Amino acid sequence: MPAQTAARRAAPLPLAIALVLLALIVLAPAAALAKGGGDDGGGGGGGGGSRPEVRVAGSCGRGATSTLKLKARDGGIEAEFEVHGRSRSAWSVAFVQERRTVWRGRARAAGVSHSFSIERRLGDYPGPDQVFARAVGPRGMTCQATATLPG
């Protein structure tokens, strides 16, 4: 009987070791990124230097396309909103960060691509940063995109 008791106590030990190893395998990549394992080419520092670049496709109407790109750099966020339309025309553009309008302006689609690109430097708040970009063009054509830069 004492041999059976020792065997029962020893059985959960390999299972516990297996669970710990599995947890390490799953969590190790996330820990590496949190400690700067991601490469942004900027050497870190100032506002999330190792945060990845985020690029999302926006939604548009009538054959237009848009993209929004966010990148943490030098204590701020570089935001670029690009729209490819179907005509050379004026657009009203706005950037909204954390539900606050941080920039409004106008852009004119030009060139053979009928496109424009607006780049703005935004503040980098603690934690994840959500940025929404919207452009309203001719006859109410609207392009918009939302991206979140992880904290």
Side-chain angles (χ1 to χ4, degrees), residues 69-86:
K69 181 173 75 170
L70 304 178
K71 173 122 178 108
R73 185 176 306 259
D74 298 328
I77 296 174
E78 291 179 359
E80 179 182 2
F81 186 50
E82 192 172 317
V83 174
H84 297 274
R86 299 183 86 182

Side-chain angles (χ1 to χ4, degrees), residues 26-122:
V26 170
L27 297 176
L33 285 174
K35 292 183 180 182
D39 183 22
D40 73 341
S50 65
R51 291 160 72 185
E53 177 180 288
V54 175
R55 187 180 305 235
V56 297
S59 62
C60 293
R62 300 187 204 147
T65 62
S66 65
T67 57
L68 175 61
K69 181 173 75 170
L70 304 178
K71 173 122 178 108
R73 185 176 306 259
D74 298 328
I77 296 174
E78 291 179 359
E80 179 182 2
F81 186 50
E82 192 172 317
V83 174
H84 297 274
R86 299 183 86 182
S87 65
R88 296 181 191 180
S89 54
W91 293 72
S92 296
V93 183
F95 281 96
V96 177
Q97 182 179 18
E98 302 299 329
R99 294 181 283 180
R100 283 186 228 118
T101 301
V102 292
W103 184 83
R104 283 184 198 267
R106 297 190 61 77
R108 179 164 290 281
V112 292
S113 66
H114 304 262
S115 66
F116 67 88
S117 176
I118 300 287
E119 295 180 33
R120 289 289 157 233
R121 184 158 177 86
L122 308 176

